[in-house]
Amino acid sequence: MSSSPTPDALLGPADVRELAAALGVRPTKQRGQNFVIDANTVRRIVRTAEVRPDDVVVEVGPGLGSLTLALLEAADHVTAVEIDDVLAAALPATVAARMPERAGRFALVHSDAMHVAELPGPAPTALVANLPYNVAVPVLLHMLDTFPSIERTLVMVQSEVADRLAAGPGSKVYGVPSVKANWYADVKRAGAIGRNVFWPAPNVDSGLVALTRRTEPVRTTASKAEVFAVVDAAFAQRRKTLRAALAGWAGSAAAAEAALVAAEVSPQARGEALTVEEFARIAENKGAGAAGPVDHKEPGPQ
């Protein structure tokens, strides 16, 4: 391991503003850009993410590099995915200038994270990111799906999105993001972040969400796409019973009822009461009225 970086390697408020001015960067709402300007906050994120010296971390939306530098202090390797042309061009130079002894451990992928299908170097073991609020959930799910080697994830998102992701069945905010995240991982809230550590300060609070990859996948013969289709249908009309909400998915209300009964789920229940395992059982039993209930003991394809 190379020697530790100097204490002033991280970006402070003045550094962030100077760097932005030099690059002619104005944070845009369109891309949900709010740059972290507090070194203590990024170090706290790295600690909360439990980044280890042997970790290969992927970061989405590194911006000017505040979190990137803190991750490089702690991890073996960091790959940052940045969509913005100017920011992507500048980040390697920032890393080389502020942390030259770790520059060889850094890689940049200039791309939209939603289109990333592979990363250079060793497979990532952790995902740590300050996700743009407008695309946080689809980006998170895409990365977890595309890179099964990611064991631990810590993302900073809008506080209410954090609540949704970490919600359990029965919660008012439990919904599609909660169930789909739980397909991949155990999810929990991992802290709150104040507005004053960002530039510009957002008009919403932020929260940290920790996700630990399931050691065993959901036990089901249904595919992920089949399970997610049930989830989407169940929450498209939240106030309806599952018998009514799944009528379109099953072909009729009667067919939906047959699938639900075969899956041992009440047709009068609503989506917000169900676990991901129950959604998987419903998916397995589509068409159960004609074929009878399905055995759901074997793990399905991921």
Side-chain angles (χ1 to χ4, degrees):
M1 196 65 144
S2 48
S3 60
S4 289
T6 51
D8 61 353
L10 301 194
L11 299 173
D15 301 312
V16 170
R17 288 187 173 90
E18 279 173 30
L19 200 47
L23 297 172
V25 168
R26 300 295 312 166
T28 71
K29 271 191 176 175
Q30 181 195 353
R31 288 195 171 149
Q33 289 170 332
N34 298 92
F35 301 128
V36 183
I37 55 174
D38 180 62
N40 289 329
T41 297
V42 291
R43 283 208 173 100
R44 176 188 155 203
I45 290 169
V46 172
R47 278 199 311 275
T48 306
E50 298 177 4
V51 175
R52 301 188 292 249
D54 60 345
D55 269 324
V56 177
V57 179
V58 57
E59 180 190 9
V60 174
L64 293 166
S66 301
L67 179 56
T68 314
L69 294 166
L71 288 167
L72 277 167
E73 280 187 335
D76 182 58
H77 192 275
V78 176
T79 299
V81 180
E82 177 57 66
I83 188 173
D84 186 285
D85 295 347
V86 175
L87 296 173
L91 191 53
T94 301
V95 170
R98 300 190 75 92
M99 225 172 261
E101 70 282 17
R102 296 287 171 89
R105 299 170 180 271
F106 174 72
L108 179 96
V109 174
H110 181 196
S111 175
D112 180 340
M114 288 299 294
H115 299 151
V116 170
E118 57 184 2
L119 294 168
T125 58
L127 166 64
V128 185
N130 169 19
L131 289 177
Y133 293 165
N134 49 348
V135 293
V137 172
V139 166
L140 172 63
L141 296 176
H142 171 75
M143 295 298 287
L144 289 173
D145 194 55
T146 307
F147 302 104
S149 60
I150 294 173
E151 300 160 8
R152 284 162 292 116
T153 296
L154 186 81
V155 290
M156 178 159 55
V157 293
Q158 185 175 333
S159 190
E160 86 183 30
V161 174
D163 289 340
R164 279 191 209 132
L165 283 167
S171 161
K172 281 183 180 174
V173 294
Y174 183 73
V176 172
S178 330
V179 183
K180 291 185 178 179
N182 200 230
W183 170 267
Y184 300 103
D186 295 318
V187 191
K188 64 177 186 180
R189 274 295 294 253
I193 301 285
R195 303 180 186 196
N196 60 345
V197 302
F198 295 97
W199 172 69
N203 56 8
V204 293
D205 293 318
S206 302
L208 298 175
V209 181
L211 302 95
T212 306
R213 175 85 60 175
R214 284 173 172 265
T215 50
E216 293 283 330
V218 175
R219 294 173 70 82
T220 179
T221 54
S223 69
K224 181 199 71 174
E226 289 167 339
V227 177
F228 282 13
V230 181
V231 175
D232 289 335
F235 287 103
Q237 299 162 299
R238 287 182 76 102
R239 293 182 182 175
K240 291 194 172 183
T241 64
L242 286 170
R243 184 184 191 276
L246 298 181
W249 163 81
S252 70
E257 180 163 351
L260 288 158
V261 170
E264 300 176 2
V265 173
S266 167
Q268 300 309 308
R270 286 175 170 76
E272 52 263 40
L274 269 56
T275 64
V276 65
E277 288 82 5
E278 287 170 315
F279 281 112
R281 288 212 306 271
I282 297 166
E284 289 170 358
N285 284 286
K286 188 174 187 179
V294 176
D295 178 20
H296 53 265
K297 300 300 183 201
E298 292 304 313
Q302 298 307 301

